[in-house]
Amino acid sequence: MAGLCSTLATAHAQDIAPYGALPSKSQVEWQDMEYYMFIHLGPNTFTDNEWGHGDEDPKVFNPSQLDARQWARTAKLAGMKAIIITAKHHDGFCLWPSKYSTHTVRESAWKDGKGDILKELSAACKEYGLKFGVYLSPWDRNHPAYGTPEYNQVFSNTLNEVLSSYGPVFEQWFDGANGEGPNGKKPVYDWPLFHSTVYKNQPNAVIFSDVGPGCRWVGNEDGIAGTTSWSTLNVTGFSPGKGAPPQSVLNEGNMNGEKWVPSECDVSIRPGWFYSPSTNDKVKSVQQLLDIYYGSVGRNGNMLLNVPVDRRGLIYSADSTRLMEFRRMREESFKTNLALKAKVTATETRKGNTHVNVRNLIDGKNDTYWATPDNALQGTITLTFPKAVTFNRLVMQEYIPLGQRVKAFSVEVLEKGAFKEVTTATTIGHKRILSFPDVTTTQVRVKILDALACPVISEVQLYKAPGLLAVPVINRNKNGDVSITCSSPDPELHYTLDGREPTFKSPRYTGLIPLPKGGVIRAKSFLEKGKVASTTTTVSYDIAPAKWKVIYTDDQAAGADPERAIDGNPNSFWMTNYQPDASKYPHEIQIDMNESLTLKGFVYTPRHQTVRSGTIYGYEFYVSEDGENWGQPVAHGNFANIANNPVTQTIKFNIPAKGRFIRLVATTPANENEHWASVAELGVITK
Ligand code: FUL
Ligand code: CA
């Protein structure tokens, strides 16, 4: 009896105790999905808005060629695992005929009110073997009950309707936005009620919000997780929206955080979330998508890529072409795992546990692993090759069902008889991908330098990803001279000014191109006499601010010269003084254009390149002939989603306005605590 007890006790001692907060089974499966599609579709698709007001005529919604199977087919061919759709965005419009709303597809022109997009999409996902998810915004600018105590129940009923009608839902996406409704009031959301409604219908659904509980917002809409990326987060005292932890914390997570809430990196393939014909040539390049992939999936996050459906109800050709190019590039990058050719050894291998084996590190499975003994928070994995190999990517995975552990690791290669450090990193989690210039070696060492508990590693992989010809970067200076540059060595740059796709036969860029009156410039990089070509970069310019001068700003900050708002350079900016005092708002800038022009709108680029600060939310825009009598604003409103997605904002006037002077008044800040305003560039629309 004593013998048996001690055998059991020993076996037990060899088991690896889980560490810290752990993922549920659904969360482990969710993390394996890595890459899936977001679709934004609604009245905004037809009105060119990012945030609808809720008072749009539902008849504007008419995607007359809508084909959910085309979306699903595209997602499948793109290598994605699921589709999440905006069943209800902030304007309240429902993509299914909800009985709790009068602002739905039923009231729209589409299919004479007989259609149901959730029904079509859930069926298409099933057909193509994709999972199906729904975005429902609690913020509802249409529902009459919004802002009253009854609304929480209405929202719960709405959720219940969706989650009980369209089969399995793998993810419930909750936006944290909590704005005002038709009655000018903001309600307090009953999150416990919403969550219980989800779990009652879909016990395995992963719930997304700023703070989970299933997965968390990564803190930006660029799709990029922190270089340190914990799946654990402290959630006590926090709530979605205004009550969320700071964006930097969402970006990195908390080491030893209370709950397992991994990051989901959402980003749009275009500048905005909804389709607009004006962004057809602004679809992200393969390089941008790859950077996002390495910044999300490569940093322990899932990549949720938005592909907005167009006004026909289809994914537009430029977007689907890019998705396929991106898939090809990923496949080529991760085609041959060179680690498979290596003999793998390790120091500190845990003994007496049949699950632990150093060979598991290269078996291509992330549910088999190698581990160290309990007291060893370090260990070295060595890959020895019979012949030298060349690589530039390292993939590492932890066995996350036992928790996230690794805090620091480094990669070294044998070079001329000595080991040389190639790179170092902090966390791993589900997956970490490190990129570095090509190295050629016969021996690689991955050193786990520190961990919260004994490291449990499931994969080490090495790849040689092909180089990618960089896309041209187009800039225009204040005088209106356009330059084209490219970060790849020695490409030939060719461009067109007639809107056509550049070819190797198009004019070659040799020096500045004067474009003071504006126009469309499209450029492409080429190598090997045109055999290798990059993606096309397209930029549309209006008139250049060559003769413009700033005549007035309030509360000018030292060192942020107002002329920088009109120097053609989006990296330089004008800003007012840092003011802790909210009463310092509004702020303004006035400009003399030196000629009277008929304006159709204006363009505001916020300061966003490295630091976001002083972003304007509410605005008024004035046009005047004398710079003294400004009259009523020709446009006023809010730059909808600018706080989260600080891209260039294009505002069209209802009726054109003529004048020589323009004036932008910032009426409210995008960030409640920033009582100052900044402008990286201000432009006008004359065309
Ligand atoms: C944000 C929303 O306000 C945007 O409109 C968009 O839906 C994005 C994915 O989430 O919070
Ligand atoms: Ca500037």
Side-chain angles (χ1 to χ4, degrees):
M1 224 23 220
L4 184 59
C5 274
S6 73
T7 324
L8 280 177
T10 338
H12 191 76
Q14 307 311 332
D15 282 351
I16 304 173
Y19 180 84
L22 299 176
S24 66
K25 194 167 162 281
S26 320
Q27 284 173 315
V28 172
E29 283 169 14
W30 175 90
Q31 196 102 44
D32 267 335
M33 294 171 65
E34 294 188 353
Y35 173 49
Y36 38 93
M37 188 183 276
F38 215 0
I39 290 181
H40 277 61
L41 172 66
N44 293 344
T45 309
F46 298 86
T47 57
D48 238 325
N49 274 333
E50 279 296 303
W51 283 357
H53 297 271
D55 58 1
E56 290 79 15
D57 182 349
K59 292 276 182 279
V60 301
F61 186 82
N62 192 9
S64 53
Q65 300 172 46
L66 186 137
D67 181 4
R69 295 179 67 242
Q70 186 240 15
W71 316 344
R73 196 160 59 239
T74 306
K76 187 74 185 181
L77 289 172
M80 295 168 155
K81 298 285 162 52
I83 300 181
I84 301 179
I85 187 155
T86 51
K88 177 167 91 88
H89 202 252
H90 310 325
D91 59 11
F93 186 84
C94 300
L95 297 185
W96 78 103
S98 174
K99 60 174 188 242
Y100 302 102
S101 168
T102 54
H103 194 51
T104 77
V105 282
R106 190 182 48 230
E107 285 74 31
S108 79
W110 179 59
K111 289 194 170 175
D112 292 328
K114 307 251 154 44
D116 181 341
I117 293 175
L118 299 190
K119 192 167 161 201
E120 295 194 20
L121 181 59
S122 55
C125 284
K126 202 166 162 208
E127 179 183 341
Y128 285 92
L130 298 168
K131 293 190 179 180
F132 170 69
V134 286
Y135 170 131
L136 275 103
S137 165
W139 183 24
D140 191 321
R141 299 175 100 175
N142 174 270
H143 205 285
Y146 187 87
T148 71
E150 289 76 57
Y151 178 74
N152 280 324
Q153 194 52 53
V154 172
F155 186 66
S156 166
N157 294 344
T158 310
L159 261 180
N160 194 67
E161 185 179 51
V162 169
L163 298 174
S164 61
S165 309
Y166 302 101
V169 168
F170 87 102
E171 181 169 328
Q172 170 64 49
W173 217 91
F174 281 130
D175 194 274
N178 175 211
E180 289 165 4
N183 69 0
K185 294 216 174 93
K186 294 184 191 182
V188 176
Y189 298 142
D190 188 347
W191 289 109
L193 172 66
F194 305 163
H195 291 176
S196 67
T197 308
V198 175
Y199 290 137
K200 186 184 77 190
N201 290 288
Q202 303 283 341
N204 298 320
V206 169
I207 299 181
F208 166 97
S209 83
D210 293 346
V211 290
C215 63
R216 72 174 191 264
W217 184 45
V218 75
N220 60 59
E221 293 184 357
D222 307 327
I224 305 287
T227 49
T228 293
S229 174
W230 294 100
S231 290
T232 47
L233 189 73
N234 292 330
V235 294
T236 304
F238 295 112
S239 60
K242 295 239 147 55
Q247 294 182 2
S248 56
V249 172
L250 295 178
N251 198 237
E252 296 195 347
N254 298 111
M255 178 167 78
N256 285 321
E258 295 160 349
K259 290 277 177 342
W260 188 273
V261 196
S263 58
E264 183 184 77
C265 308
D266 61 324
V267 62
S268 184
I269 197 165
R270 293 172 177 236
W273 290 99
F274 284 89
Y275 174 81
S276 162
S278 68
T279 56
N280 284 345
D281 52 26
K282 295 268 171 294
V283 176
K284 288 194 168 63
S285 67
V286 176
Q287 183 64 59
Q288 286 172 302
L289 294 174
L290 265 182
D291 290 347
I292 293 166
Y293 179 78
Y294 286 119
S296 55
V297 176
R299 293 184 187 163
N300 188 31
N302 275 2
M303 174 169 170
L304 174 58
L305 180 62
N306 181 61
V307 184
V309 162
D310 70 14
R311 290 179 183 170
R312 298 168 304 170
L314 298 172
I315 292 177
Y316 189 79
S317 55
D319 307 59
S320 54
T321 306
R322 197 53 44 77
L323 289 172
M324 300 313 141
E325 292 168 353
F326 173 45
R327 175 182 185 159
R328 237 173 287 131
M329 194 61 200
R330 283 195 330 276
E331 281 176 352
E332 281 174 31
S333 301
F334 299 99
K335 194 158 63 192
T336 311
N337 177 10
L338 297 165
L340 297 177
K341 297 186 187 160
K343 182 169 169 279
V344 192
T345 57
T347 66
E348 315 289 340
T349 298
R350 192 181 185 99
K351 297 203 178 64
N353 179 321
T354 49
H355 295 298
V356 173
N357 195 318
V358 75
R359 281 191 303 275
N360 291 342
L361 290 167
I362 57 162
D363 67 355
K365 298 180 189 154
N366 69 359
D367 59 352
T368 63
Y369 47 81
W370 163 86
T372 65
D374 281 346
N375 55 2
L377 303 183
Q378 298 188 331
T380 299
I381 301 163
T382 304
L383 306 176
T384 308
F385 296 89
K387 274 203 306 228
V389 289
T390 302
F391 57 90
N392 52 23
R393 301 284 184 275
L394 169 85
V395 178
M396 293 282 288
Q397 295 195 274
E398 275 182 272
Y399 180 68
I400 57 170
L402 291 174
Q404 191 181 347
R405 298 154 179 256
V406 174
K407 279 170 74 179
F409 67 105
S410 71
V411 185
E412 297 178 346
V413 296
L414 187 64
E415 222 182 69
K416 295 187 191 117
F419 276 97
K420 184 189 100 177
E421 191 172 273
V422 174
T423 186
T424 62
T426 53
T427 52
I428 300 176
H430 165 71
K431 188 175 271 184
R432 185 71 196 260
I433 310 176
L434 299 179
S435 304
F436 36 83
D438 285 4
V439 285
T440 302
T441 189
T442 53
Q443 218 167 44
V444 183
R445 273 205 314 224
V446 179
K447 286 182 159 176
I448 310 291
L449 303 170
D450 198 8
L452 297 171
C454 67
V456 185
I457 309 290
S458 61
E459 279 293 297
V460 177
Q461 303 172 356
L462 296 171
Y463 297 93
K464 180 169 174 357
L468 186 63
L469 178 55
V471 293
V473 175
I474 300 177
N475 278 305
R476 188 177 70 168
N477 65 19
K478 184 167 168 94
N479 289 332
D481 298 323
V482 173
S483 63
I484 311 178
T485 52
C486 175
S487 61
S488 290
D490 306 324
E492 268 190 43
L493 301 169
H494 293 262
Y495 69 94
T496 64
L497 292 172
D498 59 6
R500 272 192 271 173
E501 179 72 10
T503 66
F504 195 62
K505 298 215 176 77
S506 308
R508 183 170 177 184
Y509 176 75
T510 50
L512 294 178
I513 306 160
L515 224 55
K517 295 265 179 292
V520 179
I521 178 155
R522 312 191 71 193
K524 232 173 153 105
S525 333
F526 294 91
L527 281 178
E528 294 173 29
K529 299 211 158 38
K531 269 186 246 140
V532 180
S534 73
T535 314
T536 307
T537 305
T538 306
V539 181
S540 309
Y541 288 110
D542 210 290
I543 59 154
K547 296 178 287 180
W548 296 16
K549 286 213 155 42
V550 175
I551 55 167
Y552 174 77
T553 69
D554 73 300
D555 202 23
Q556 175 57 44
D561 185 350
E563 294 295 331
R564 292 179 181 180
I566 49 170
D567 63 358
N569 176 6
N571 296 314
S572 67
F573 55 89
W574 160 70
M575 193 159 87
T576 61
N577 278 307
Y578 287 114
Q579 289 289 358
D581 182 356
S583 72
K584 292 295 173 189
Y585 246 82
H587 295 291
E588 68 172 277
I589 183 166
Q590 299 179 6
I591 290 158
D592 177 1
M593 300 189 292
N594 234 302
E595 61 183 321
S596 184
L597 295 169
T598 301
L599 306 181
K600 294 187 175 158
F602 79 98
V603 179
Y604 165 58
T605 304
R607 175 186 176 188
H608 71 295
Q609 301 296 332
T610 44
V611 178
R612 301 169 183 184
S613 183
T615 309
I616 299 167
Y617 178 59
Y619 67 84
E620 288 172 354
F621 195 85
Y622 298 82
V623 178
S624 151
E625 281 293 6
D626 59 10
E628 277 165 25
N629 299 298
W630 294 100
Q632 292 299 310
V634 292
H636 64 99
N638 299 324
F639 299 121
N641 191 32
I642 197 166
N644 291 331
N645 189 21
V647 294
T648 297
Q649 308 285 312
T650 302
I651 303 295
K652 298 247 172 79
F653 302 153
N654 291 334
I655 24 173
K658 193 165 173 304
R660 170 174 160 172
F661 297 85
I662 55 174
R663 174 182 177 215
L664 174 69
V665 178
T667 56
T668 51
N671 182 332
E672 275 180 2
N673 311 316
E674 293 178 357
H675 308 298
W676 53 91
S678 68
V679 175
E681 278 304 298
L682 193 62
V684 293
I685 303 173
T686 63
K687 298 195 159 56

